[in-house]
Amino acid sequence: MDAQGRGRAEDIDPADQWVLNPETGDYELRLPPSAPQSPIPGPRRASSPAPSPAPAPEVPAPRRRRAAPEEPPPGRRGRRRPAKKKSRGKKILLWTGGTMAFVILAVGTAGYLYLQHLNDNIESLPDDGASTGGFQKDQAINILLIGTDKRTGSGNDGYGDKGSAGHADTTILLHVAKDRSNATALSIPRDLIVDVPDCPTTQEDGSTKVIPGSSGVRFNTSLGQSGRTPSCTMRTVTELTGVTPDNFMVADFNAVKTLTSAVGGVEVCLAKDINDPDSHLNLPAGKHTVEGEEALAFVRTRHSVGFGGDLSRIEIQQQFLGSLMRKLKSNDTLTSPTKMVKLAEAGTEALTVDAKLKSIGKLKDLGLELGKLDTKNLTFATVPVKDNPAEKTPVTVVLKDGPAQQVFDMVKNDVSFTEVKKKEKEKKEKEDAAVAARLEGEKSEPSEIRVRVLNGGASSGSAGRELTYLQNEAGVTKSENAGNAPADIAKTTLEYAPDQADQARALAEILGLSGAAMKPGESVTNAQGLPAMTLTLGKDFKGAGVKLDATSAKAPEDLQKSTADKVECAK
């Protein structure tokens, strides 16, 4: 304490600087001065009432000049409270709502408390060109969340492989729908056999080193092994699912411990007693609130739940994340400045993001998008897999090709795994009906269809193979190969002029195109100088003669999934 009896500013907990204003109902940031300030020139006000003076003749009071505002001290610029638009609770609810990313994003959005300090906390790594370039507000969002088994920080030496380079121990591809009505958190088993592609990686000196890929290896080796970075895991996910992530976030053991402690614990449920010496979890059956070391033990346990493998651990982790997300959206968290400060500190210190997310501003923007999501429409699911048939005693898994491809197609085509709210559903149904109407009406004979075929992202030679199918098997003899499109596209499209609608409907039926793939526009001129349509094969093209429509896809019946709004006890 100084001579005036006041503590130094640097000794004060930032959370204690928020004071409830009874007139507005909001918390306001009351920062103490970093040094004694000179008084502002002007009339001096008494600190306590003085005795009433004798009456004096009334004279016009001199007009006081408003004192010029003081220049803010260094480090305080830009911290003026903005004009009130929404209550702080509503702002934070928007920023934190939605998903666990969720958790990280909710944490990041508290950064307005002391922006530069939190920006300095954030660690980042290059995406090495493996991402889309970053999420877009008006598009579907795909965030790759990676939990590593790297033993960093105090108290973590007792867990598993002490010498781990930090493999992809827990990986979730979070897909948020373009209309923000639903989201899917797709878990990728660490023991899934995959092909890890070559990975160009930026070195500390700025140079690029290509880390050779590997075939038929565990998914978790896409990170840490041979110096691989999160961008390598990104490329592996793209190779596996066909979905290119927009951004990545990486968390280690400390993230679980610090985040759960920051919110005052997370409620979990066990259907039986568990005493797991490997994860150090020792809890009786029933509901419990866990935080810190106990929370980490909970998400790491596997031998005592389900079948005792990684797939069982994925289920318990999904339960935990759903519960953590609900805690973050609770009033108990949102209205507590102390908890929000702790979350901001914990999240920004425990996480590593790609360079395009290295700012509180970008995290806030992402949080605002995720905040539009209702928890009941967030589905946790796991990639469909089966035991590896190449192993006598299976310890790894491989894809269930059919069901897995269904799941990947649903994510790529922005199809919900769960029912959306009635109002949102009705709106989507009206939009779908308008698009579907493009398929209704008369259809030309195949021999009357004139179309030019372009390759816009399909495998090499696809345009030629599709042309052979159209001419020899589908009867579309007036078709021609137009080479490569100017740019790659995600989904196959058919552009046509209004007077070609009957031809477009006929070709859409042959190819299995949805109304969404039909793009009213302009015709082009074919080699004979006649007007023709343009068929551009996108990355979703599966092969000559294979139907393309995936908008009516449904999740496999045996898909392991749950929603974030429900409490399920680990068995």
Side-chain angles (χ1 to χ4, degrees):
M1 301 290 284
D2 60 21
Q4 300 298 320
R6 294 175 299 183
R8 292 177 301 165
E10 60 266 27
D11 294 333
I12 299 177
D13 187 336
D16 295 333
Q17 299 170 18
W18 287 89
V19 180
L20 179 66
N21 185 332
E23 296 181 3
T24 65
D26 288 341
Y27 284 94
E28 297 179 354
L29 185 62
R30 304 283 177 84
L31 291 174
S34 57
Q37 303 294 313
S38 300
I40 299 174
R44 179 174 299 175
R45 296 185 180 181
S47 59
S48 60
S52 300
E58 289 190 8
V59 295
R63 179 175 298 176
R64 295 179 180 179
R65 290 188 179 183
R66 180 175 297 175
E70 287 185 301
E71 186 72 9
R76 293 273 300 278
R77 295 181 183 274
R79 292 189 181 181
R80 294 179 181 176
R81 189 182 179 209
K84 181 179 175 183
K85 296 182 179 179
K86 295 183 180 179
S87 72
R88 188 172 308 282
K90 289 182 179 178
K91 284 182 182 178
I92 300 176
L93 180 60
L94 282 173
W95 290 354
T96 59
T99 80
M100 143 231 178
F102 294 11
V103 174
I104 298 162
L105 301 176
V107 170
T109 55
Y112 62 90
L113 299 178
Y114 42 119
L115 184 63
Q116 190 56 52
H117 168 65
L118 295 184
N119 273 327
D120 292 341
N121 279 355
I122 301 172
E123 295 291 334
S124 69
L125 289 170
D127 69 355
D128 299 313
S131 74
T132 62
F135 78 93
Q136 301 294 321
K137 293 182 180 180
D138 59 348
Q139 299 296 323
I141 297 174
N142 293 294
I143 306 294
L144 189 63
L145 304 160
I146 308 170
T148 76
D149 59 357
K150 190 171 184 178
R151 277 64 179 161
T152 56
S154 61
N156 294 325
D157 292 339
Y159 296 104
D161 180 8
K162 296 180 182 179
S164 174
H167 295 121
D169 201 46
T170 298
T171 305
I172 296 175
L173 177 61
L174 173 68
H175 171 81
V176 184
K178 181 178 180 179
D179 64 3
R180 309 298 185 250
S181 67
N182 64 89
T184 302
L186 185 63
S187 293
I188 302 174
R190 68 173 190 177
D191 295 327
L192 174 63
I193 297 299
V194 298
D195 293 335
V196 177
D198 292 347
C199 180
T201 305
T202 302
Q203 305 299 296
E204 291 185 2
D205 61 2
S207 63
T208 299
K209 173 184 176 182
V210 177
I211 300 175
S214 305
S215 298
V217 296
R218 296 188 190 206
F219 176 85
N220 69 339
T221 61
S222 65
L223 179 66
Q225 200 79 8
S226 304
R228 291 176 179 136
T229 65
S231 68
C232 301
T233 306
M234 262 189 167
R235 295 182 192 278
T236 305
V237 168
T238 302
E239 184 90 2
L240 175 69
T241 67
V243 178
T244 301
D246 299 308
N247 300 96
F248 67 72
M249 296 179 176
V250 182
D252 59 16
F253 288 169
N254 290 325
V256 176
K257 294 193 290 187
T258 56
L259 287 172
T260 53
S261 295
V263 297
V266 173
E267 184 178 76
V268 297
C269 182
L270 297 174
K272 62 181 181 180
D273 297 347
I274 289 183
N275 186 359
D276 184 354
D278 292 314
S279 71
H280 312 305
L281 180 66
N282 186 358
L283 288 174
K287 292 183 179 180
H288 305 274
T289 298
V290 297
E291 65 174 279
E293 292 287 349
E294 197 168 45
L296 179 60
F298 182 85
V299 298
R300 286 192 50 75
T301 191
R302 56 173 172 154
H303 299 301
S304 301
V305 293
F307 296 104
D310 187 51
L311 296 180
S312 298
R313 185 174 65 167
I314 285 175
E315 291 185 47
I316 206 170
Q317 289 173 344
Q318 291 173 345
Q319 178 209 140
F320 175 84
L321 293 175
S323 182
L324 178 55
M325 186 193 67
R326 292 192 298 274
K327 184 63 178 285
L328 282 165
K329 292 191 69 175
S330 69
N331 288 334
D332 180 51
T333 300
L334 297 176
T335 59
S336 170
T338 300
K339 287 185 179 179
M340 294 306 293
V341 169
K342 288 181 179 178
L343 277 168
E345 290 286 354
T348 53
E349 288 180 355
L351 302 163
T352 300
V353 300
D354 68 89
K356 294 179 176 61
L357 277 181
K358 185 179 166 52
S359 77
I360 293 299
K362 287 298 290 184
L363 289 172
K364 181 204 71 175
D365 289 343
L366 185 51
L368 285 170
E369 295 304 309
L370 297 175
K372 300 172 184 177
L373 178 70
D374 192 320
T375 55
K376 71 175 65 174
N377 298 323
L378 168 61
T379 302
F380 287 104
T382 303
V383 173
V385 295
K386 60 184 180 182
D387 288 340
N388 189 349
E391 298 173 341
K392 290 183 178 180
T393 303
V395 292
T396 61
V397 293
V398 295
L399 290 180
K400 283 185 180 177
D401 289 326
Q405 193 57 53
Q406 276 182 268
V407 169
F408 299 153
D409 285 347
M410 289 178 71
V411 174
K412 283 190 293 185
N413 291 287
D414 206 14
V415 179
S416 175
F417 283 72
T418 188
E419 198 73 23
V420 297
K421 287 188 279 187
K422 184 177 180 182
K423 184 177 179 180
E424 295 167 341
K425 183 181 179 183
E426 289 175 350
K427 178 182 177 182
K428 191 173 189 307
E429 285 176 345
K430 288 181 181 179
E431 294 173 348
D432 290 345
V435 170
R438 297 172 186 171
L439 298 170
E440 299 174 0
E442 295 184 3
K443 300 180 180 68
S444 300
E445 292 297 321
S447 59
E448 298 175 0
I449 298 173
R450 290 191 297 272
V451 62
R452 303 177 80 234
V453 183
L454 294 172
N455 190 333
S459 60
S460 179
S462 291
R465 291 190 291 272
E466 183 69 356
L467 181 66
T468 299
Y469 163 76
L470 289 174
Q471 292 181 341
N472 297 340
E473 298 185 42
V476 185
T477 55
K478 297 177 182 177
S479 53
E480 62 184 52
N481 188 342
N484 293 326
D488 289 353
I489 58 176
K491 298 181 181 180
T492 298
T493 61
L494 175 63
E495 184 176 0
Y496 59 96
D499 60 354
Q500 296 171 317
D502 53 347
Q503 295 182 45
R505 286 190 285 267
L507 186 58
E509 184 177 56
I510 292 171
L511 300 178
L513 292 177
S514 67
M518 300 174 65
K519 305 295 182 184
E522 300 179 354
S523 64
V524 294
T525 302
N526 66 9
Q528 288 74 43
L530 298 173
M533 302 181 294
T534 301
L535 173 66
T536 305
L537 306 179
K539 295 178 181 178
D540 62 336
F541 182 73
K542 299 179 178 65
V546 179
K547 300 290 185 180
L548 283 160
D549 184 18
T551 58
S552 60
K554 294 182 180 180
E557 292 184 3
D558 60 348
L559 178 67
Q560 176 186 312
K561 66 186 183 76
S562 62
T563 52
D565 62 323
K566 296 178 181 178
V567 179
E568 298 184 11
C569 295
K571 299 178 181 179

